[in-house]
Amino acid sequence: MRNSPRRLGFLLRLGAFGLIGLPATYAAASSPAAAALSGATVLSTFDQGELAVFERKASLAKRLGATHVPLTDGLPTARWQFVPADDPYPGWFIQRPDFLKLFPPAEVAPYVDQDYARRICTILGERARILRQLGLKAHWGSNLPQVMPEAFFTAYPHLRGPRVDQPNRSRVARFSMCVDQPETLRLYATAMKSLLALCPELESFSFLTQDSGSGFCWVPALYPGLNGHSDCRARPMSERISSFLITLQTAAREVGHEVQINLNPIEPRQWMIPSFGPEQLDAIAHRLPRGIAVQGREGPDGRPYRYLGSSDAYAHGSFYPVVGLAVPDLRWLRTGRTAPIKAEAGMPARRLISLRPDEATMAFSAQLYEATRATIDGSVAERLGALRNFAATVAGEVGADDLLQIWLLLDDAERRLEALNFGDMLQFGHVLNRWVNRPMVPFPAELSAEDKAYYRRFLFQAKGEEQADNLADIQAMRMYEGFGARLLFQRVIETVVPTVEDAQARAERLARGAPDAEARQRWKLLGKRLEVMVCLLHSADHMVAYQAQLDRVKALGVEPEPNPPLGAESSWDRTDLVRLAREEIDTTVRLKRLLESTSEPLLDLASVPEEETIMRLGPTLAAQLQRKIDLMNAHWMDYDRLFTKPNP
């Protein structure tokens, strides 16, 4: 699980498939790994369309002051790694491209999907060409050292490193390579050289480790516990980590490239063990040369790393899966810090801009940056005044205050939702656990396989059906379980919903006062997206409350009276559970009607059913919502098996 940085965006849906030829940039890549993958590779028109989006986004990033953009943002996922097919855990690393699997040396090539690798390398080559034309440099974000296929370790058992999966979220043990083995270092060095031959614009790398299918031997933070190759257990951690990173930098240097590398262990939450203690971190940093950092500490003296930050592939922001909610970053308004951290004297100005937000959000950010950058070093009052002036250019002088207030309200809503952040709540609940389209029924275990077919395979649940049927079991975390959690969760939701509803009302007021049809539709669309968010917030509240009450009632084990006397009333818990079910049905009807009211995207949905995954909702969501409604309405009588029926 990743802890989510704020204000990242959403993907746009693109169209049908076709074919184009292999770009010359890929065919020209001169390395053994590239040669092994060369051939009759073609790109679909889907991929071609994505390249056009990449180019437009990179251009917007340049307007935002970027010197570097992530080459890896938004690449097609490596779904071939879902082996076995019913294990959801690869969902955490298939969107984080591993250059060892994309540019496989001869030993690795038989164990990776080479068609996928050829496709991605073609895309990477074209992306590098686009950045070259724009005068931008590239950044690579990934997880390292990443899971390798089990068949590879069967063939090369001496290279098996630590087990790195999260045991409660995976169905099979998954291992990365031991970086203490000379062969491992050689393979990674070869792949690094191949990557740079294809993408010479790459200047910086950020690697997440000890999370999402990655990790080093004998690091305390490994999810399965301390483990690794027996040969390297006694080797100092500082030697193990530094030698691997230095190997990558040296490989780049040998082919004429100077690169910066930043290794980022997962930031531990309160219940987690840190990857490196202070003494270990000092020892690692002192073994590193300049240009390599671990946990933000650059070698050889441990100074703060001042090159480029990291590129996160997991965070979508607190409002996901709702799309199109472009909101200025207003942290400066609360903290009082107005100017960004500057580079050290003598260092070139560098700025990494993510391409993960949707195109409209990036365009908004570019306009905002250009309109307000003169006050970036100003006081809070000056910056707020510049923001209000920008609002006037977007909504007119009459609507400026409403638009500014919408931004402030949504910033406040996001801040309040952070209290539920074990991973962004709406994403973890409505996408990973499919709250949005799964039914709330008293006996979910009795639903047939056919009833569950449209949502069960997309639950991020590696355990059995008992856990899958529990609405509060999200990736083996039950942070919203129980009546106490219900009350705390409810308290957050009841403070956020009025805030979002206020923003919705202001968007609708902007629509009523819009000067033309185009502006009117734009503000109406914003209002619909905010209403969708209200629906998701209510639904999340229903799910947590329902499971808490259902667990309580079943634990009590009170048998219903078969013949209740005249005048028997509905018990408070029966009334509560039935009320929650009805409110969830009505909320789902409301959400379905919203989705069907416009052809514009309100939620991030895959463009075709085949692209629906545990990390992304599918294009038939409206039909799935109807299925949810029908299933819940078909099970009203089940409540009579839990409670004495009222007999007024």
Side-chain angles (χ1 to χ4, degrees), residues 267-290:
E267 184 179 348
R269 298 289 290 262
Q270 289 179 326
W271 62 88
M272 298 170 67
I273 301 173
S275 295
F276 309 121
E279 292 183 359
Q280 280 185 330
L281 190 57
D282 284 342
I284 294 170
H286 289 316
R287 285 184 174 272
L288 298 174
R290 185 73 71 239

Side-chain angles (χ1 to χ4, degrees), residues 456-526:
R456 174 63 183 91
R457 68 185 186 276
F458 300 115
L459 298 184
F460 205 125
Q461 178 56 258
K463 293 187 173 182
E465 293 308 302
E466 179 182 352
Q467 289 81 11
D469 287 337
N470 189 317
L471 300 171
D473 193 310
I474 304 174
Q475 290 200 118
M477 298 185 293
R478 297 194 174 193
M479 58 282 196
Y480 309 136
E481 183 178 55
F483 233 87
R486 167 182 170 163
L487 296 175
L488 291 171
F489 194 97
Q490 183 182 63
R491 178 58 186 152
V492 173
I493 298 300
E494 71 183 10
T495 64
V496 174
V497 166
T499 302
V500 180
E501 288 178 333
D502 188 355
Q504 178 192 344
R506 291 172 184 273
E508 291 169 350
R509 185 159 64 199
L510 286 172
R512 291 192 298 271
D516 54 56
E518 187 277 330
R520 189 176 307 112
Q521 287 303 115
R522 183 171 72 250
W523 299 123
K524 281 185 176 180
L525 180 60
L526 176 59

Side-chain angles (χ1 to χ4, degrees), residues 13-15 17 46 79 434 453-454 457-458 605-614 616-621 623-624:
R13 292 185 286 173
L14 293 175
F17 290 86
F46 177 88
R79 292 195 295 166
R434 285 307 197 263
Y454 72 95
R457 68 185 186 276
F458 300 115
L605 306 179
S607 58
V608 293
E610 293 75 21
E611 293 296 321
E612 181 177 1
T613 69
I614 56 178
R616 197 176 188 197
L617 300 172
T620 61
L621 180 61
Q624 294 173 355

Side-chain angles (χ1 to χ4, degrees), residues 388-389 391-393 395-405 407 510:
R388 200 273 181 193
N389 291 338
T393 68
E397 186 60 35
V398 173
D401 289 335
D402 271 332
L403 181 55
L404 180 59
Q405 189 61 29
W407 293 337
L510 286 172

Side-chain angles (χ1 to χ4, degrees), residues 117-353:
R118 277 189 285 267
R119 178 191 178 197
I120 300 305
C121 289
T122 304
I123 293 171
L124 289 172
E126 285 297 285
R127 286 185 171 192
R129 176 188 60 78
I130 289 167
L131 297 185
R132 195 175 310 130
Q133 292 175 344
L134 292 173
L136 293 170
K137 296 298 183 180
H139 171 84
W140 186 276
S142 184
N143 304 352
L144 218 66
Q146 197 177 112
V147 163
M148 289 293 287
E150 182 61 24
F152 172 80
F153 290 124
T154 300
Y156 300 96
H158 56 293
L159 300 184
R160 187 187 295 270
R163 182 179 174 184
V164 296
D165 60 284
Q166 213 280 18
N168 281 282
R169 301 177 190 174
S170 61
R171 291 184 171 174
V172 297
R174 297 182 183 274
F175 296 80
S176 66
M177 296 172 70
C178 175
V179 302
D180 293 83
Q181 306 301 318
E183 286 183 62
T184 298
L185 298 181
R186 176 179 59 81
L187 294 174
Y188 271 104
T190 300
M192 172 64 85
K193 293 175 181 179
S194 299
L195 170 61
L196 292 172
L198 180 63
C199 305
E201 282 66 34
L202 277 166
E203 286 190 344
S204 72
F205 293 78
S206 64
F207 299 124
L208 172 69
T209 193
Q210 309 309 128
D211 184 38
S212 302
S214 67
F216 292 87
C217 292
W218 306 112
V219 173
L222 287 165
Y223 288 145
L226 202 63
N227 77 99
H229 200 301
S230 301
D231 288 354
C232 64
R233 184 168 190 171
R235 189 182 185 195
M237 186 73 69
S238 58
E239 291 184 17
R240 177 179 307 118
I241 304 300
S242 62
S243 65
F244 177 65
L245 299 176
I246 291 170
T247 294
L248 298 181
Q249 189 187 59
T250 301
R253 190 169 291 149
E254 288 175 354
V255 291
H257 292 272
E258 286 296 328
V259 299
Q260 286 78 45
I261 300 172
N262 188 17
L263 182 73
N264 298 291
I266 182 174
E267 184 179 348
R269 298 289 290 262
Q270 289 179 326
W271 62 88
M272 298 170 67
I273 301 173
S275 295
F276 309 121
E279 292 183 359
Q280 280 185 330
L281 190 57
D282 284 342
I284 294 170
H286 289 316
R287 285 184 174 272
L288 298 174
R290 185 73 71 239
I292 303 181
V294 172
Q295 204 168 310
R297 300 276 303 281
E298 185 182 356
D301 52 9
R303 67 180 61 185
Y305 185 67
R306 296 287 188 176
Y307 288 95
L308 295 174
S310 60
S311 175
D312 194 293
Y314 302 107
H316 290 282
S318 297
F319 304 150
Y320 186 82
V322 184
V323 299
L325 299 182
V327 182
D329 186 342
L330 299 177
R331 282 173 292 182
W332 53 268
L333 189 59
R334 294 193 300 274
T335 65
R337 198 191 85 190
T338 59
I341 297 174
K342 292 180 170 58
E344 291 180 357
M347 288 181 58
R350 298 181 178 213
R351 191 179 188 196
L352 177 69
I353 300 292

Side-chain angles (χ1 to χ4, degrees), residues 91-132:
W92 279 120
F93 56 83
I94 61 171
Q95 70 270 50
R96 297 284 279 177
D98 181 358
F99 60 83
L100 182 62
K101 297 181 194 133
L102 295 177
F103 299 88
E107 297 90 335
V108 177
Y111 307 102
V112 302
D113 186 327
Q114 296 191 37
D115 288 337
Y116 172 80
R118 277 189 285 267
R119 178 191 178 197
I120 300 305
C121 289
T122 304
I123 293 171
L124 289 172
E126 285 297 285
R127 286 185 171 192
R129 176 188 60 78
I130 289 167
L131 297 185
R132 195 175 310 130

Side-chain angles (χ1 to χ4, degrees), residues 378-632:
S379 67
V380 169
E382 289 171 331
R383 294 193 70 178
L384 193 57
L387 188 62
R388 200 273 181 193
N389 291 338
F390 174 67
T393 68
V394 177
E397 186 60 35
V398 173
D401 289 335
D402 271 332
L403 181 55
L404 180 59
Q405 189 61 29
I406 287 172
W407 293 337
L408 294 170
L409 287 165
L410 292 181
D411 179 77
D412 182 63
E414 183 175 51
R415 180 177 57 84
R416 292 174 185 272
L417 285 172
E418 288 175 0
L420 302 176
N421 183 359
F422 291 77
D424 291 312
M425 182 274 292
L426 292 180
Q427 178 190 11
F428 271 51
H430 285 295
V431 182
L432 274 63
N433 211 35
R434 285 307 197 263
W435 284 346
V436 67
N437 63 354
R438 66 188 298 183
M440 288 177 11
V441 294
F443 300 97
E446 296 178 8
L447 292 174
S448 69
E450 181 182 359
D451 289 336
K452 296 181 176 182
Y454 72 95
Y455 71 88
R456 174 63 183 91
R457 68 185 186 276
F458 300 115
L459 298 184
F460 205 125
Q461 178 56 258
K463 293 187 173 182
E465 293 308 302
E466 179 182 352
Q467 289 81 11
D469 287 337
N470 189 317
L471 300 171
D473 193 310
I474 304 174
Q475 290 200 118
M477 298 185 293
R478 297 194 174 193
M479 58 282 196
Y480 309 136
E481 183 178 55
F483 233 87
R486 167 182 170 163
L487 296 175
L488 291 171
F489 194 97
Q490 183 182 63
R491 178 58 186 152
V492 173
I493 298 300
E494 71 183 10
T495 64
V496 174
V497 166
T499 302
V500 180
E501 288 178 333
D502 188 355
Q504 178 192 344
R506 291 172 184 273
E508 291 169 350
R509 185 159 64 199
L510 286 172
R512 291 192 298 271
D516 54 56
E518 187 277 330
R520 189 176 307 112
Q521 287 303 115
R522 183 171 72 250
W523 299 123
K524 281 185 176 180
L525 180 60
L526 176 59
K528 287 178 184 290
R529 287 169 169 163
L530 292 170
E531 188 175 356
V532 165
M533 185 178 168
V534 170
C535 290
L536 296 184
L537 290 167
H538 280 310
S539 179
D541 193 21
H542 300 155
M543 292 283 168
V544 171
Y546 188 91
Q547 189 66 54
Q549 187 67 276
L550 189 63
D551 288 345
R552 174 191 167 276
V553 169
K554 289 185 176 180
L556 289 174
V558 177
E559 291 293 326
E561 291 186 52
N563 299 297
L566 190 64
E569 297 180 354
S570 178
S571 63
W572 77 272
D573 40 9
R574 179 186 183 278
T575 299
D576 182 54
L577 211 56
V578 170
R579 173 189 62 81
L580 288 167
R582 177 55 193 264
E583 288 182 1
E584 179 62 13
I585 290 173
D586 292 342
T587 298
T588 305
V589 170
R590 180 183 177 188
L591 177 59
K592 179 175 180 288
R593 288 170 62 87
L594 281 166
L595 294 177
E596 294 173 338
S597 70
T598 177
S599 60
E600 295 294 326
L602 304 179
L603 294 170
D604 177 40
L605 306 179
S607 58
V608 293
E610 293 75 21
E611 293 296 321
E612 181 177 1
T613 69
I614 56 178
M615 292 287 189
R616 197 176 188 197
L617 300 172
T620 61
L621 180 61
Q624 294 173 355
L625 295 179
Q626 185 61 54
R627 181 66 175 146
K628 170 182 177 174
I629 294 164
D630 292 343
L631 283 169
M632 291 183 68

